[in-house]
Amino acid sequence: MSNLLRAGVRRYVRNIVFWLAIIATIVAAVICAVSTRQHYFDDFYCVIVFAALAVVISWLVGRENDEGIFRNKTVAGYTKGQIYISELILSVGTCVVMFLLFAIVFTAFNSYVFTKASLGACLGIFIDSLLVNICVAVILTTVSCLISKRYIVAIVNIVLVFAMFFASYAIQGIVVQDEYITEWDYEEVVVT
């Protein structure tokens, strides 16, 4: 398992797509932080980071699946479970690195906000956001391991990221509605 992880880290670090995603994360974090400082927090920049993560996972895990490297690893004596867990650990690690970069840049620009909120609230937001990022990475990795064509995986994962984004807004709209709607109907009755 350690050989799989070591080879995977080397594969990620040497890939240009990974570094482009890191740069995209930093740029999105700077734009989001400046925009938040001037107006309000726009979560679309987080979706850009998720899309970058989808491209990285689709490209690297999808390449392994597309070029038959998974088959070579099974021939070398690794089980499918070990291969999946190693890809999952690498994807989650990449996700955590991208999230921490975004959080550090955002906090550096907007540190005044965190002085107004309690430590518990700030820590809760941080942990919840990290868990959401990890869940998205797990979903994207699973899809990348299930579909063998790299380009199809990339399209499916990017569409999945945007579908989750729009579905969250639809669910939010449903959740904030009133539970009961009270309507009054007046009827004029004339008695003679």
Side-chain angles (χ1 to χ4, degrees):
M1 182 72 142
S2 64
N3 290 336
L4 288 173
L5 292 175
R6 199 169 337 151
V9 168
R10 190 176 325 113
R11 186 179 77 226
Y12 273 73
V13 171
R14 291 184 179 182
N15 198 314
I16 189 72
V17 175
F18 172 76
W19 292 108
L20 289 175
I22 294 293
I23 291 169
T25 300
I26 293 170
V27 168
V30 168
I31 294 171
C32 180
V34 170
S35 173
T36 301
R37 193 167 180 84
Q38 294 173 353
H39 303 292
Y40 61 93
F41 179 76
D42 189 5
D43 56 353
F44 185 73
Y45 298 108
C46 296
V47 175
I48 291 173
V49 174
F50 283 138
L53 180 66
V55 169
V56 168
I57 291 174
S58 300
W59 192 258
L60 292 171
V61 177
R63 184 180 138 239
E64 293 279 304
N65 199 359
D66 188 23
E67 294 178 357
I69 298 172
F70 283 173
R71 185 179 60 240
N72 294 343
K73 290 177 182 178
T74 56
V75 169
Y78 296 105
T79 64
K80 290 180 181 180
Q82 289 175 327
I83 296 169
Y84 174 71
I85 293 297
S86 70
E87 294 296 334
L88 192 64
I89 290 170
L90 291 168
S91 299
V92 167
T94 302
C95 168
V96 168
V97 166
M98 291 173 69
F99 172 75
L100 289 176
L101 280 172
F102 190 92
I104 289 168
V105 171
F106 185 83
T107 304
F109 278 89
N110 297 301
S111 59
Y112 68 93
V113 173
F114 299 106
T115 60
K116 305 288 183 198
S118 68
L119 180 64
C122 292
L123 195 60
I125 291 170
F126 178 80
I127 291 172
D128 290 345
S129 300
L130 180 62
L131 289 176
V132 166
N133 278 279
I134 290 172
C135 288
V136 169
V138 168
I139 291 168
L140 296 176
T141 304
T142 304
V143 170
S144 296
C145 286
L146 291 176
I147 301 173
S148 64
K149 297 296 180 191
R150 178 181 5 179
Y151 300 107
I152 295 173
V153 167
I155 293 169
V156 167
N157 278 344
I158 292 171
V159 168
L160 189 61
V161 164
F162 284 104
M164 286 188 283
F165 176 67
F166 292 124
S168 67
Y169 271 113
I171 291 170
Q172 178 192 9
I174 293 170
V175 168
V176 297
Q177 286 180 351
D178 293 333
E179 186 175 354
Y180 299 106
I181 298 174
T182 306
E183 291 183 1
W184 297 95
D185 220 4
Y186 294 104
E187 188 176 303
E188 185 177 336
V189 177
V190 178
V191 178
T192 55

